[in-house]
Each structure stands twice: as C-alpha cells, then as structure tokens.
Amino acid sequence: VERVGAHSDLIPGAQDTVAALRQQGLKIGSTTGYPRQVMDRLMVEAAAKGYRPDCTVCADDLAAGARPGPWMALQCVLELKVGDVAHCVKVDDTLPGISEGVSAGMWTVGLALSGSPAGLTLAQYQAATPDELAAIRRQVTPPFEAAGAHYVIDSVADLSPVLKDIERRLAAGERP
C-alpha cells in the first residue's frame, strides 16, 4: 500500500483520452486485480492527478471471484447502468483482463506498450528506439490476440480511433 503512490503516474495521453470520452458522454469503469485496500490508496493518488473513474471494482470486492471470469467487468456494467454489454469496451494491459472482457461479451483492447507485458518504465519507453518498440509489439501482440483481443494498441492514448471503428462495426450489426 505504501509503495503504490510511487507508481501512480498517469500514462501520457490518458487524461486527454478520458476527457474526450467524457465529452462524448461515455462512462468509465475500472477493474483491477489489486485488493480494495491498495486501490483505495491508488484512487486518491490518481484523483489528485485528474483521473476519477465512475466505478471501480477490485479483485476482493466480489464473492464470485476475479479474472479471468466476467464478474468484475459485469459489476461495472451494473454500477454504470449500461443497457447493452456489446456497447462496452474492455481496455487492459493483461491477458486475464482481456479474457475478462471476452467472457463478459465486450469488445476488448490490449495495451502493448503501456503496461505489464512491455515491462517498460516511462523513461525506458521514451528512450527506446522505434525498432525496439516494434520488437516489443511483435512479442506482446500475439498473446493478446490469442486471448481474444479485438484490437491491440500501444496505449490508452491511442483509443479514440478504435472506438470509432467499434461504432462503425456496431452500426453494421457486428457484436463482439
């Protein structure tokens, strides 16, 4: 719990992405493998930096269990009062998180460079060459796709075009 503050910086571009989503009237839920005690501390840190999801569900919040089952994602659906799960998008940097979204019937987006699989700090990411980043993408993308990710992007900052494509696919009658 004490160390979480040292690792609470927002992903570059995340705040702008969230602001754009909110301007579109979208709701933001968060699921996490962290226990509630850790997440409560992290949410204070994130709020101080401008990020406040509409709901947060932690691994120890539900008796049904955590990932890769759909329960945390579906709890967000309930709390956010979303009428159609097919209109939900689960964005995650972990394979169990992608499986959670697939199990819940949501569109899923894996994060290739801004999360756990890449294993980069911000400084390492900024210092990496385009070839080094491409190599990481080639390494982490296939497992995300095998887990069922509909899309794999570098970071949440790259989400807006994906959401537009999902809107197009929904309008064409596609479902996740």
Side-chain angles (χ1 to χ4, degrees), residues 37-53:
Q37 179 183 10
V38 172
M39 199 61 188
D40 283 346
R41 171 70 188 275
L42 185 56
M43 289 186 333
V44 169
E45 298 287 334
K49 295 170 182 164
Y51 176 67
R52 292 173 188 84

Side-chain angles (χ1 to χ4, degrees), residues 17-76:
T17 298
V18 168
L21 297 176
R22 293 210 186 276
Q23 284 183 327
Q24 296 172 45
L26 299 178
K27 300 173 186 175
I28 299 171
S30 176
T31 67
T32 179
Y34 287 144
R36 176 57 62 183
Q37 179 183 10
V38 172
M39 199 61 188
D40 283 346
R41 171 70 188 275
L42 185 56
M43 289 186 333
V44 169
E45 298 287 334
K49 295 170 182 164
Y51 176 67
R52 292 173 188 84
D54 297 304
C55 77
T56 301
V57 180
C58 298
D60 58 352
D61 286 346
L62 304 176
R67 298 171 175 161
W71 304 286
M72 290 193 302
L74 293 176
Q75 184 64 35
C76 281

Side-chain angles (χ1 to χ4, degrees), residues 108-121:
T108 56
V109 181
L111 301 176
L113 298 182
S114 63
S116 302
L120 300 173
T121 65

